[in-house]
């Protein structure tokens, strides 16, 4: 009688679906995209679509709108208009960024973590801003107009210019 002899390929065949799933998951991570389950998508502003608006995926590294950390640096110094309500872990406007990050009307920005500005300009058009903490570095300008800024952590600045207008900072 014929008898089946187990081979290494036989074991592979038994688990090929699981291995294929693992390979696809690793490729997904390697492409730079991370799910919110793994901590959110971190992206750098590159204005790749040349539209200058936040809610266009092609304007971000990896063509992914961030919900982890949004970084503005010398990758692109183009202006960015926030055209949707933003809820994100943190926003970093790093040294070397010379553009302006601004809100369009009636959209709020909420960070559960830090909002850091070390260069460039951040301008609200009287929209609400809620941050986990605020850190103003050696440069940069914040134009708050008539904004209610809620800060649930530390609010520090060294040389960042803050033009507060009639804004109110609420420490929560």
């Amino acid at each position: 009688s014929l008898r089946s002899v187990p081979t290494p390929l036989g074991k592979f065949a038994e688990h090929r679906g699981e291995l294929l799933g693992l390979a696809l998951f690793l490729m997904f991570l390697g492409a730079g995209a991370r799910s919110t389950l793994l901590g959110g998508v971190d992206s750098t502003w590159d204005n790749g679509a040349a539209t200058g608006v936040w809610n266009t995926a092609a304007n971000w590294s990896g063509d992914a709108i961030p919900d982890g950390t949004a970084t503005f640096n010398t990758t692109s110094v183009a202006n960015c208009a926030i055209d949707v309500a933003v809820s994100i872990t943190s926003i970093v406007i790093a040294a070397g960024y010379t553009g302006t990050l601004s809100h369009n009307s009636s959209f709020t920005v909420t960070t559960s973590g830090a909002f850091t500005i070390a260069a460039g300009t951040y301008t609200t058009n009287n929209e609400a801003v809620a941050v986990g903490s605020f850190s103003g570095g050696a440069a940069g300008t914040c134009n708050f107009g008539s904004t209610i800024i809620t800060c649930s952590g530390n609010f520090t600045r060294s040389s960042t210019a803050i033009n507060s207008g009639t804004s109110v900072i609420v420490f929560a």
Side-chain angles (χ1 to χ4, degrees):
S1 81
L2 293 174
R3 173 169 72 121
S4 175
V5 177
T7 66
L9 290 177
K11 290 291 182 187
F12 173 76
E14 288 176 26
H15 299 284
R16 73 175 165 244
E18 295 151 351
L19 292 171
L20 178 61
L22 177 61
L24 289 173
F25 178 73
L26 291 173
M27 285 174 32
F28 178 75
L29 286 179
R34 296 183 304 142
S35 73
T36 303
L37 179 64
L38 297 176
V41 175
D42 299 339
S43 296
T44 299
W45 177 252
D46 63 17
N47 199 33
T51 62
V53 295
W54 181 287
N55 202 36
T56 300
N59 283 336
W60 296 95
S61 61
D63 292 341
I65 298 168
D67 62 0
T69 298
T71 301
F72 295 84
N73 59 24
T74 57
T75 300
S76 172
V77 295
N79 296 339
C80 175
I82 296 172
D83 60 335
V84 294
V86 173
S87 182
I88 194 164
T89 303
S90 61
I91 294 175
V92 176
I93 304 173
Y97 181 72
T98 57
T100 298
L101 173 61
S102 63
H103 295 165
N104 287 339
S105 62
S106 71
F107 296 115
T108 60
V109 170
T110 302
T111 67
S112 58
F115 185 104
T116 304
I117 180 167
T121 302
Y122 176 69
T123 299
T124 66
N125 295 315
N126 307 326
E127 290 76 28
V129 177
V131 296
S133 64
F134 176 89
S135 176
T141 301
C142 291
N143 298 313
F144 289 127
S146 179
T147 300
I148 296 176
I149 305 150
T150 304
C151 183
S152 58
N154 292 331
F155 191 98
T156 59
R157 78 173 185 92
S158 56
S159 297
T160 297
I162 295 180
N163 302 314
S164 58
T166 59
S167 295
V168 174
I169 300 174
V170 177
F171 293 96

